Every structure is written in structure tokens, then in C-alpha cells.
Amino acid sequence: MYRKLFLLLFLGLSSGAIMAQSKKKVKQLSQQLEQTKKNWVAPYYNQAEEPPLPMESWVPEYGIRGKYAYNGIQLSIPFLEALLGEKLFLSGPHEGNIMDWDNDDFGHYNPKFLKKLKQYLKKLSKQKDFVSSYQPFYEANLQQLARSYYRAEQHLKRQPELITAGQKLDAEERQEFFRDYSDQEEAAGYIWYEANTCANFWLRRHTDGSADEFSDLLDLLLSTFDASFLKNN
């Protein structure tokens, strides 16, 4: 009898400690996101200030590289890895906060990291103050790119044979491989460069096995800040 009571007490205390730790980490993530929003630098062509991180892009205002190069230190990879207790990459050329864009290899993401990140972001998405605070920031800085990622993902889902064919090509060949798709997206009002790089992103995610986790994260982002777009697409 006493053993059962002790076990129940132990489990209750452990559960409470885990919940408290989780709340603390969600708060830390929220605070870091707030700092990132507050100090955000929107990159543009011929920007006078050099980015603090490598970029290797002629169009910093489009895609993810410019955004990361100017803002990646604020919401750093080491901070997120320490917060989640998981490494971001299982393998690849990137190290710490530095992305090696020139390498022929690419970062193979850790699904465990992405799953834990989603857990914390999902809790933040339920906080009305957080969502209302970030809505204008999302619309100004992330909406266009997030929609391109979604449309590229749906394009490959509708034609899964493109994934198999695209994975056999090198980086330069893959750009040409998605030229028709990028042209169609540009005609629909999207950015040609982003359409092309987003399609290639999903090819890499199907290669490293993290496509489902990134799809979940993207759905969470869109359902939180862009629900009407998600419903109509």
C-alpha cells in the first residue's frame, strides 16, 4: 500500500516538474522570438551593412538565406539545440550557427529536433497575445515565402514522380528541372527564385527523411497566421 502511494506521489511530482520545465522553455523560446522580431533586419539588394552570417545569395530579399544571414544570430541554432536538447542536423557541412552554402553536401535535419520544436511552437500558437503580436511581422516578412513553400510542397505531392526524378540530379540540374514550375509560379504572382528554391528544399527533405516534420511545422505556421490561405489552397 505504502509503495503504491509512494509511486503515485513520485509520478505526480515528476509530471509536475516536467510540466514546469516545459513552461519555462516555452517562455524562453517566446522571449527569444520577441527579441528576433524586435531586432529583425529585412535584407535587400545592395544593402550597405554586411550580414553577420554567410549568405552567398544575389537576391537577399528573397528566400531564406538573406533572412538567416542577417537574423540567424538572434534566434541561434546553439540556443535552440540547448533549449530542445537535440542537435539540429544529423549530418552535413553546417557547423554551429554557420551555414556552409558552397558545399556539395547539405544538412540532414534531425526529426527529433523538429518534433520537439513543434511541441513548443504549438503551445505558443495557442497564446492569443503571442499570435496577435506576431501577425503583422508574419505578413510583412514571412508570408510570401511560407506560401511558396506550401505551394511547392503541394506541387510535389500531386506529382510524386518528380521527387524520384529530381533526387537523381545535381544542384544545377535541379534548378532547370523546376524551371517550368517556377515560370508558372511567377505567372501566378509568386517569386521565381523562391518557387525554385522551395521545390528544391522539399527534394532534400524527402532525401534526409524530414519532410513530414517540416510539413507539420509549415501547417502549424499557416494555420496560426494564414488560415484563409491554407483553407483556399
Side-chain angles (χ1 to χ4, degrees):
M1 179 68 177
Y2 289 112
R3 288 182 178 179
K4 289 183 179 179
L5 288 173
F6 178 78
L7 179 60
L8 289 172
L9 178 61
F10 175 78
L11 291 174
L13 291 173
S14 298
S15 176
I18 291 172
M19 289 180 63
Q21 184 68 11
S22 177
K23 287 182 179 179
K24 180 180 179 182
K25 289 188 175 184
V26 170
K27 184 177 180 180
Q28 288 176 324
L29 179 58
S30 176
Q31 290 171 339
Q32 201 67 19
L33 285 168
E34 181 62 32
Q35 285 300 310
T36 301
K37 175 168 70 82
K38 180 180 178 181
N39 300 311
W40 183 264
V41 176
Y44 56 87
Y45 185 66
N46 277 343
Q47 198 159 356
E49 302 83 1
E50 287 293 322
L53 294 172
M55 182 168 57
E56 297 297 329
S57 175
W58 292 101
V59 283
E61 65 269 39
Y62 300 134
I64 197 67
R65 290 190 181 187
K67 294 176 178 62
Y68 179 78
Y70 282 96
N71 302 284
I73 288 180
Q74 298 178 50
L75 190 65
S76 71
I77 291 173
F79 165 79
L80 290 172
E81 288 180 337
L83 185 77
L84 301 177
E86 296 284 351
K87 299 294 290 183
L88 175 58
F89 297 109
L90 295 176
S91 65
H94 311 315
E95 185 174 350
N97 227 32
I98 305 299
M99 302 290 103
D100 183 357
W101 303 117
D102 290 328
N103 203 292
D104 291 334
D105 193 9
F106 62 90
H108 293 245
Y109 284 91
N110 179 3
K112 290 183 179 179
F113 176 98
L114 300 172
K115 287 177 181 177
K116 284 189 176 182
L117 180 61
K118 182 193 172 185
Q119 290 175 5
Y120 293 149
L121 291 176
K122 192 171 184 179
K123 290 177 181 179
L124 283 177
S125 73
K126 295 178 181 178
Q127 298 179 10
K128 292 182 179 180
D129 289 345
F130 174 84
V131 175
S132 61
S133 172
Y134 260 83
Q135 187 69 46
F137 175 83
Y138 168 82
E139 292 174 2
N141 298 288
L142 301 176
Q143 185 179 75
Q144 176 179 276
L145 183 58
R147 290 179 174 185
S148 288
Y149 273 117
Y150 182 81
R151 288 173 65 88
E153 179 192 20
Q154 298 308 305
H155 177 70
L156 292 178
K157 281 185 175 180
R158 289 191 295 268
Q159 302 178 77
E161 67 276 7
L162 294 177
I163 299 172
T164 303
Q167 288 174 320
K168 299 176 182 178
L169 307 175
D170 61 30
E172 187 173 340
E173 290 173 328
R174 287 198 303 271
Q175 185 180 59
E176 290 302 312
F177 183 69
F178 288 116
R179 179 169 291 277
D180 288 346
Y181 167 71
S182 303
D183 289 343
Q184 293 169 11
E185 287 297 279
E186 186 176 44
Y190 291 87
I191 304 299
W192 193 99
Y193 172 81
E194 292 185 344
N196 199 278
T197 56
C198 288
N200 274 286
F201 168 85
W202 289 112
L203 277 187
R204 294 192 295 275
R205 302 293 70 80
H206 282 283
T207 300
D208 71 15
S210 64
D212 288 343
E213 284 73 27
F214 269 105
S215 181
D216 287 346
L217 283 168
L218 182 59
D219 282 346
L220 177 60
L221 177 69
L222 292 172
S223 62
T224 302
F225 296 107
D226 215 348
S228 60
F229 167 83
L230 190 61
K231 181 180 178 180
N232 294 323
N233 288 270

